[in-house]
Amino acid sequence: MSLMNVGVSALIANQQALTTTGHNIANVNSAAYSRQTIATKALVGQNMGTGYVGKGVQVATVMRNYNELLGRQSNAASAASAADAIRYQSLMQMQDVYSGGDASLGAAINSMMNAFADVEAAPTDGTARNVVLTRMSELTARFRAASATLKEQDYSTQQQLGNNVTLVNNLAGQVAALNTQISRAVASGHQPNDLLDAREQLIREINQYVQTSQVDADNGGINLFVGGSQPLVLGSSAGQLSVAETTEYPGSGKLSLYFSQPNGEQVELTANMVGGGEIAGLLKFNNDDLVVGRNLLGRQALAIGSELNQQNKLGLTLSGNYGTDLFKLTTQTQGWSNITGYDVSNPATSATATVTDTRSLVASDYKILFDGSSNAQLIRISDGKTTNLPIDPVNGIDAQVDGLQFSVPATVTASATQGQSILFQPFSAAADEIQPLVHNPNDLAVSSAVTAKITQGNQGTLQMSNLRATDLAGIPAQDAPVRITFDGAGNYSYQTYDPATSSWSAPSAAAPYTSGQAIQINGWNITLTGTPANGDTVDVGNALDLGDGYKLNAGNASAFLALRDATIFDGGTTLSDGFSSAMAVIGTRTQSAKYAAQLSQTVANNLNADRTAVSGVNLDEEAARLLQYQQAYQASAKIIQTAQSLFDSVLNAVSR
């Protein structure tokens, strides 16, 4: 009978080994499945007086081949990879707004500026003027379309964040439920391997959306934490995540992840606190990359629109009037803050940023940080540059920085506490709200407001190369020209004619003349070349003194064309190259995100390969084990057959 028992125990053990091997083969393609192996141990032998005789074998347990360290490293790497990948995908979509080609915003800018060439050649031609207005309308339409694309991407990002948060909450609930089942199973003395694998797969899926850290519990459960210390899963209970605007700047569109505590309080988690996962990548894109895209686009609209508005005001229309604004621009924006009593709808209790010099603008958001002293710090968020702002007890803050006028009333500065701040987004709506204002071609002011005449009797070689108005207030009045007189020592002075007294004013102080260098007088400048003789003169007057002849003077159209090469961005980038510069910024950011995504994907793949090398099923190995256990099973059956034969022999002998 002892031989029979040995055979039966071996048969049962090998049968379970075959079943486990078959289970491995069946789950070779199951996600997160960990290879299982049988652990056996010998039954304690029986003392027969002459020694202990073995009683067979029994299955100790079914082991799960899983390395916890590799599993956690793989989860963390997968979270980082998911964050980099989703950010790169989002940047690739945003890059379409800054693409080249005939349908691009850059092409529309160049087409509009080049259209002034035809007007310069034929300043009274209605068709040429209409082409300019059409190009302006097309440009504003493309600005608005580009802005709408960014707004749509902002909306889709928020929707995706909401969907991801819903998935995480659902998965966290499933992990909590599995914790309960696993704790009950562990109480029996053995680990429920398939339940552990199912929980591990859920944790891996959670880390695709939000990075977690985990702490093992004594009862077999796992506690998951997000943002460093917020318990997403604690035993059999699961927390809740949500996405909403940041409490620091309500109304700004900046988002944060929130964790709901059991007492109902919300803990705000920034993208840096979240760490990894798609949620972290989407938060970074929404709060950083998308802001850069909007700022570049908005600054482009403000700078170009402002330059053309200013130039049109310096010229004359066909009706003889000074030009007006060509574009409607948003030059003032409200700040966002959670300071007590702060109300954006009330100018007395809110701060503003107003554009004063478009050529000094930097494509960035700004933040005024209060430190509890008599000063505040203006922080340019794009590069962290800080400017000290004194706080006046009566007037609050009124300062100009980077072409922006920052105004904060004393009611706000008095209510601000240490650490509170005001966020300014001066370019966020500029591209969305730009509109053409001039629709009549006659109102395009391409005629010069000033005219010049080199005196016929001059003895020198003076020639005029350029004449342009620079300030409306300084343009000579009608019938009141300015005469520039040169002496034999290389200097010039000027006089103004007074029609009321029919006399010239006293000469101004002498100034040196340099051929080819502009002479700036009041609201205009003139560039002359050549060498003047003693007593040579040049008269500069109001273009309306020419009668209808001013209409043929396309000097302001020439000034519009000259804007193409004017440096209006970042102190060195021309108007025509401004969009290319913005393309480069977004392209560099996208390329950097691509490299980060590729690197983190490689790390994640390598760690996952290390994990599966331990936990994965190898069909060749399982096939070998299948033959091994099959032969052992057959041998076990042979033991039982032999015991049966011996038992029959004994019965036959006894029956005789």
Side-chain angles (χ1 to χ4, degrees), residues 471-596:
D471 184 356
L472 191 63
I475 295 175
Q478 284 184 258
D479 300 322
V482 175
R483 174 166 292 173
I484 304 174
T485 303
F486 298 87
D487 60 23
N491 298 315
Y492 74 88
S493 60
Y494 66 89
Q495 300 167 277
T496 303
Y497 182 75
D498 184 359
T501 61
S502 300
S503 62
W504 293 92
S505 67
S508 67
Y513 161 75
T514 302
S515 178
Q517 183 173 314
I519 297 174
Q520 178 72 43
I521 299 177
N522 297 330
W524 50 271
N525 64 54
I526 185 171
T527 303
L528 300 168
T529 59
T531 303
N534 184 30
D536 283 356
T537 60
V538 176
D539 289 342
V540 178
N542 193 296
L544 293 175
D545 291 337
L546 301 175
D548 286 343
Y550 78 88
K551 297 179 181 179
L552 299 178
N553 183 350
N556 210 42
S558 301
F560 274 114
L561 284 171
L563 287 177
R564 293 179 300 186
D565 299 321
T567 55
I568 67 172
F569 298 110
D570 301 320
T573 304
T574 63
L575 185 150
S576 57
D577 292 335
F579 186 73
S580 298
S581 177
M583 287 176 60
V585 171
I586 299 301
T588 301
R589 188 172 283 254
T590 304
Q591 196 68 16
S592 176
K594 177 183 179 180
Y595 291 147

Side-chain angles (χ1 to χ4, degrees), residues 339-363:
I339 294 173
T340 303
Y342 193 92
D343 183 4
V344 293
S345 63
N346 184 358
T349 57
S350 62
T352 59
T354 305
V355 176
T356 56
D357 179 9
T358 54
R359 295 196 177 192
S360 300
L361 297 177
V362 178

Side-chain angles (χ1 to χ4, degrees), residues 300-452:
Q300 191 96 358
L302 281 173
I304 293 175
S306 178
E307 290 290 331
L308 269 67
N309 282 351
Q310 182 179 356
Q311 195 60 55
N312 200 57
K313 291 177 181 179
L314 295 174
L316 296 174
T317 67
L318 281 179
S319 60
N321 297 318
Y322 287 107
T324 58
D325 283 343
L326 294 172
F327 302 101
K328 174 189 174 184
L329 301 173
T330 301
T331 57
Q332 186 179 82
T333 55
Q334 300 288 333
W336 308 99
S337 182
N338 61 355
I339 294 173
T340 303
Y342 193 92
D343 183 4
V344 293
S345 63
N346 184 358
T349 57
S350 62
T352 59
T354 305
V355 176
T356 56
D357 179 9
T358 54
R359 295 196 177 192
S360 300
L361 297 177
V362 178
S364 175
D365 286 353
Y366 291 81
K367 178 171 68 173
I368 292 181
L369 178 65
F370 297 93
D371 57 11
S373 68
S374 59
N375 295 308
Q377 301 298 317
L378 176 68
I379 302 172
R380 190 166 68 194
I381 296 177
S382 62
D383 58 6
K385 180 181 178 181
T386 301
T387 303
N388 188 60
L389 302 180
I391 300 175
D392 187 282
V394 177
N395 299 316
I397 295 174
D398 193 19
Q400 287 195 36
V401 179
D402 293 344
L404 293 168
Q405 181 77 30
F406 294 94
S407 300
V408 185
T411 53
V412 174
T413 59
S415 301
T417 59
Q418 184 175 0
Q420 287 189 306
S421 58
I422 305 173
L423 175 68
F424 296 92
Q425 300 171 315
F427 313 112
S428 60
D432 190 49
E433 298 178 2
I434 187 172
Q435 295 281 352
L437 294 177
V438 174
H439 304 284
N440 187 335
N442 293 341
D443 294 335
L444 195 61
V446 296
S447 297
S448 177
V450 290
T451 184

Side-chain angles (χ1 to χ4, degrees), residues 606-628:
N606 290 340
L607 285 171
N608 190 55
D610 292 341
R611 181 188 65 82
T612 55
V614 174
S615 301
V617 175
N618 185 308
L619 289 178
D620 292 336
E621 292 180 2
E622 297 304 319
R625 289 192 181 94
L626 198 63
L627 291 175
Q628 173 190 347

Side-chain angles (χ1 to χ4, degrees), residues 68-89:
E68 185 174 347
L69 176 61
L70 289 176
R72 293 189 181 188
Q73 289 178 334
S74 177
N75 287 344
S78 296
S81 177
D84 290 338
I86 195 68
R87 177 172 174 251
Y88 170 59
Q89 293 172 15

